[in-house]
Amino acid sequence: MRVFRFLVALLLTILLVWQLHSPQQLGTSRIPALGDFFNPFTGFWQNAEPADITGILNGPLSIPGLKQPVQVVYDDLKVPHIFAENLADAIMAQGYVTAQNRLWQMDISTRQTSGRLSEVLGARTLHLDKLARRRGLLFAAENDWKAWQTSPETALYMEAYAAGVNAWIDQLTPADYPLEFKLLGYAPEPWSPLKTALVVESMIDALNKRDNDLAATNSLAVFGRDTFNYLYPLWNPRQQPIVPDTGQWKGLNVSLPEMSAQLPATTQRDTGIPDMSLPSAFRDFYGSNNWAVSGARTRSGYPILANDTHLPLKLPHVWFQQQLHTPERNCYGVVVPGVPGIAIGFNEEIAWGFTNVSQEVVDWYLIDWTDQTRTAYRIDGAPQQADLRVERIAVKGQPDVLDTVRYTIWGPVVYDDPEHPLYNCAYRYVTHDAPTPESLGQFLNIGRAKTYTDYRNAIPGLDCLAQNVAFASHSGDIAITVEGKFPVRAREQGRFILDGSQSANAWHGFVPQEDLPALLNPSRGFVFSANQHSTPPSYPYFYLGNFDDNRGRRIFNRLEHMQGVTADSMKSIQLDNYNQLAADALPIMLQLLDRTALEAADQEWLKALDAWKYEYKKDLIAPSLFEMWFQDTYLLTWDEQEAFRQQKIDVLFPEGWRFIELLTKDTTSVFFDRRDTPERETARNIVTQAFREMSQKAREKGQEALTWSVFKGFAIRHLTSQAAFSRLGLQTSGSRNTPNAIGQDHGPSFRMVVELTQPVKAWGVYPGGQSGNPGSAYYDNMIDTWVEGNYFELLLLERPDAIPDNRLLVRQTLLPK
Amino acid sequence: MKNSFYTIILILILGQASHFGLPWWGLAPIAAIAGWLFPQRTWSCLLAGFAGGFLLWITVALWLDTGNEGMLSARIGTLFMGLSRWAVLATSGVLGGLIGGMGCLTGTWAGSLFGRTAA
């Protein structure tokens, strides 16, 4: 009896511990093992960082491979200021402190890009992993690292960064693991240069993967050439290009035969790549603003540079801030965790900033397979074997999944579903090409640049991450360069799916560095970009893309009239809520509106719109009314496109600017006629109908829900989307079309203003925090400042002890082991 | 009564080993040792073990939570169906208590096989 009751107690205890050590499934959500998670010794409590870490000394700590001691001074925003005796040590320390603050984010982003999510999350992410692999992102990262290794210098810094990250990882116990590892039930693994390459690829992919080839091909097939040209012109005449024609392209002759392979329309919507057929005016945009104003226009007499990069806003935040100080350089700025160096920033002499180029660097080629096995294909009539790359995808709790990807001379065949319209197409993507060995040189070298020449020498290292790089120097230069690797295309080449059976359809090389659009010290006294067209149509190279038509024009108009510029006036442009699209469209819509057809209840909305100055301020209702009215007008007009979409034929919708042009100049266009009514409508009818629809919707919503910040809704979510680690319901002004481009979950990811006086003065803010730990006070501490439109002064220290007392958080010394 | 008190104290002392690498489930054998050394009747043993485990886990959690000003416990509460900060703390305490109670009982009943019984 006693033996029995002892055995029962023993068994129950073991069972209890076992249960508490096992993750549970509750409905669709996975709950971490409760004992692992809730025990205070190794569970989440260990991530509850003291709210006040001022002066809590961390170290000295030893890092194997470090050559000399490195001093790290954290300021009150938890920005590390790294003081090292040589660049390799500085990079190693950067790897160390970045991992210390952002390890899980680094891990998950590389898993996402390399198709290794399922290894830790199970079969539910298998489709994502397959798509990442089939799109060749791991392949591209492998090519990057192979290329970098051929440059001893690049390899040295990549290895140093990895060693720094690994020095942090190596001393972790399970109690120290970032919270998300505990929540998801896996452990960190060693870092490697390949992982840095993966982070680079994830940046490139987020910014450069866009294309409309399928929708354009379908549109051409269903509408015919004349209508296609009418609906989808490439150049907006009201646009202010980044680099104007000043005669610099005379004598540059790039004539290639026109081409437009007309392929039949395909059915079924593209599933894996975001729907790009709606014009940019309706999408959240991966955009950015940057500009530089010459000393002639500033109060101080020195140039000022401003940059705000618009990205999906998540927690942990996409950027990490730091200062890197060595005897040769002293620079400050942001970079994506996992990448060494500084992407956007400044030093004592210069400042630089990015916006996305938005030119298309992706094409699809229809493959002419020799037979059903799809292992060989014809090029100019001659059969050629596809390279079969077997992707092994580990899946938690299940056997590995093997997936064979066919690589052609064009690139990988992405889709393996025979129903997919791109099933027989190969993917030509600039990023699959091996980069130059120095391809990360931009991030490493620009930090020590002092002059325009240094900047021009540093930026070709950007390679395939196509960016408009603005520049300003203390010596008085301002400049902008459309930098990247751009295919040389015949006219319209790549606008549609290309015939992959002809070698002549290949890109004609890449635009040489000296022909890239660039602007130095223009007489107007400023350079700027906001993802608009790089050049006017007189630029001899043909290019395509998804260009923004609104922010750039507004920024141009503001800069053009500004004198005595200060940092505050630059901030006011970054925070400008004026929507150029509304300013173009609303007066025309109000003019077209048949006011006699309105009811008394509609007058209230009309009054708000009549009085509105196109400002997307958070407490106004007019922006919400305009958005609804414009969108309804747009969709009523393009019911032809919508009908094709209903049939799952992906077609292009006209750009917002073209739509406004038609509302202005072609009000009796057949497209204003609704397909579902016997009458023949004109723009006037459509605008009026849309107003009444809007009016009805507005009444149903009520004032509160019409307030712009509520109507738009804005949230910054944790990478896992867990509400617990997110900031929901933030009240913000702006829209994707205003310079202050705060959408629903996109927005200015780092606002920076640098005045190139000596000493240099800089201000910056991002909507997040330096720590990736939801248990840290530095996880989201900058969000409110960002929402309010305020900035922090950024500290570029000369020496570790130069930090003002009131801004010192903690010092850390890293020692060689 | 005295043995219950000793049980709690011993769990609190030996439990500190979890700060130095002893896995969290080490609480079970620690409570068993306490139960073996200080034999008790079923309910008082369960209760003393529970109290020891509960106090051990909740004091460490409370210490960390206080320094953290409850930032993380609030987030974890949201994650687990909107528990309050105190409920999150209590959850840790109760889990520690359950392990402590069961461990203690197992130890006491093991002792009774060798003639160690409650006074």
Side-chain angles (χ1 to χ4, degrees), chain A residues 5 13 36 38 45 49 51 774-775, chain B residues 24 67-68 75 79 92 106 109:
Chain A
R5 71 172 195 187
T13 309
D36 293 357
F38 275 89
W45 293 108
E49 186 182 284
Chain B
W24 60 265
N68 182 248
R75 293 188 195 280
L79 191 64
S92 281
T106 310
W109 283 353

Side-chain angles (χ1 to χ4, degrees), chain A residues 11-221:
Chain A
L11 195 69
L12 280 176
T13 309
I14 290 171
L15 260 176
L16 175 70
V17 167
W18 184 255
Q19 272 300 308
L20 295 178
H21 192 43
S22 313
Q24 306 290 326
Q25 199 70 33
L26 194 80
T28 52
S29 44
R30 181 190 168 282
I31 294 181
L34 292 178
D36 293 357
F37 195 66
F38 275 89
N39 88 79
F41 304 102
T42 56
F44 74 84
W45 293 108
Q46 288 293 322
N47 303 86
E49 186 182 284
D52 184 5
I53 53 172
T54 313
I56 296 184
L57 268 177
N58 221 337
L61 304 148
S62 308
I63 300 188
L66 207 60
K67 290 184 198 68
Q68 281 162 296
V70 175
Q71 291 204 54
V72 184
V73 179
Y74 278 101
D75 68 27
D76 56 349
L77 296 173
K78 213 180 182 211
V79 175
H81 301 257
I82 297 170
F83 293 84
E85 294 306 314
N86 59 75
L87 185 58
D89 278 358
I91 294 296
M92 201 179 287
Q94 186 186 19
Y96 186 87
V97 299
T98 308
Q100 195 171 8
N101 286 287
R102 300 290 189 90
L103 184 57
W104 179 75
Q105 176 186 15
M106 292 164 71
D107 179 87
I108 205 72
S109 73
T110 58
R111 286 187 178 278
Q112 203 169 2
T113 310
S114 60
R116 289 185 56 215
L117 290 171
S118 306
E119 192 178 328
V120 294
L121 300 177
R124 65 195 158 116
T125 51
L126 188 56
H127 64 292
L128 296 175
D129 285 345
K130 274 179 81 172
L131 187 63
R133 300 281 182 103
R134 299 192 70 96
R135 293 184 60 234
L137 299 178
L138 177 59
F139 169 75
E142 287 168 1
N143 287 342
D144 290 341
W145 175 224
K146 261 183 238 156
W148 295 345
Q149 277 170 294
T150 63
S151 155
E153 207 187 349
T154 310
L156 171 76
Y157 297 131
M158 295 300 148
E159 300 277 16
Y161 189 85
V165 175
N166 287 332
W168 173 254
I169 295 174
D170 288 346
Q171 52 82 49
L172 293 179
T173 66
D176 307 321
Y177 290 171
L179 184 65
E180 293 91 341
F181 285 106
K182 299 179 184 179
L183 203 55
L184 299 169
Y186 73 105
E189 62 177 22
W191 194 258
S192 65
L194 176 66
K195 294 194 176 213
T196 293
L198 285 164
V199 177
V200 172
E201 287 303 329
S202 77
M203 282 164 67
I204 292 172
D205 199 49
L207 293 167
N208 289 173
K209 72 176 164 209
R210 282 161 178 67
D211 80 272
N212 292 323
D213 299 3
L214 176 63
T217 304
N218 290 344
S219 303
L220 182 62

Side-chain angles (χ1 to χ4, degrees), chain A residues 764-776:
Chain A
V765 66
Y766 67 62
Q770 286 285 94
S771 172
N773 175 11
S776 165

Side-chain angles (χ1 to χ4, degrees), chain B residues 74-108:
Chain B
R75 293 188 195 280
I76 299 297
T78 311
L79 191 64
F80 285 85
M81 302 160 292
L83 296 181
S84 72
R85 175 182 179 182
W86 299 109
V88 172
L89 280 163
T91 305
S92 281
V94 167
L95 292 178
L98 288 175
I99 299 162
M102 285 309 296
C104 183
L105 192 65
T106 310
T108 277

Side-chain angles (χ1 to χ4, degrees), chain A residues 442-632:
Chain A
Q442 202 273 346
F443 294 173
L444 297 171
N445 293 333
I446 199 164
R448 63 162 189 238
K450 290 186 164 46
T451 62
Y452 174 73
T453 313
D454 295 342
Y455 148 84
R456 285 290 293 185
N457 289 338
I459 55 174
L462 264 180
D463 222 274
C464 49
L465 179 66
Q467 297 291 299
N468 302 305
V469 189
F471 166 87
S473 71
H474 174 71
S475 58
D477 290 323
I478 58 165
I480 194 161
T481 310
V482 180
E483 187 60 52
K485 201 169 161 187
F486 304 105
V488 175
R489 299 167 181 273
R491 186 162 175 78
E492 294 225 318
Q493 181 182 7
R495 193 171 187 191
F496 311 101
I497 295 170
L498 288 154
D499 178 357
S501 71
Q502 305 295 321
S503 60
N505 287 341
W507 292 341
H508 305 267
F510 295 95
V511 179
Q513 179 70 27
E514 60 271 23
D515 292 350
L516 293 176
L519 190 60
L520 169 67
N521 296 327
S523 57
R524 69 184 185 207
F526 64 88
V527 296
F528 80 109
S529 74
N531 319 102
Q532 78 271 40
H533 267 270
S534 309
T535 58
S538 55
Y539 181 60
Y541 291 93
F542 175 81
Y543 60 86
L544 291 156
N546 290 282
F547 301 103
D548 189 83
D549 290 285
N550 304 303
R551 285 178 285 111
R553 286 172 54 207
R554 173 62 178 170
I555 292 167
F556 180 89
N557 290 339
R558 294 258 344 239
L559 288 172
E560 201 187 14
H561 297 112
M562 233 177 223
Q563 292 295 341
V565 168
T566 62
D568 282 343
S569 40
M570 301 289 90
K571 292 176 189 170
S572 80
I573 302 182
Q574 288 186 337
L575 301 169
D576 188 313
N577 295 315
Y578 181 93
N579 183 352
Q580 187 66 52
L581 179 136
D584 290 345
L586 187 60
I588 293 159
M589 289 164 70
L590 286 170
Q591 202 184 322
L592 285 169
L593 179 68
D594 180 2
R595 296 187 183 224
T596 60
L598 301 186
E599 294 163 17
D602 300 332
Q603 297 301 326
E604 185 189 353
W605 314 131
L606 197 55
K607 223 167 98 187
L609 286 167
D610 275 331
W612 184 46
K613 299 281 182 277
Y614 323 117
E615 297 273 354
Y616 277 56
K617 290 189 178 147
K618 59 183 173 189
D619 46 5
L620 296 180
I621 65 160
S624 317
L625 299 175
F626 171 75
E627 288 285 313
M628 285 194 287
W629 188 17
F630 184 72
Q631 183 143 356
D632 285 346

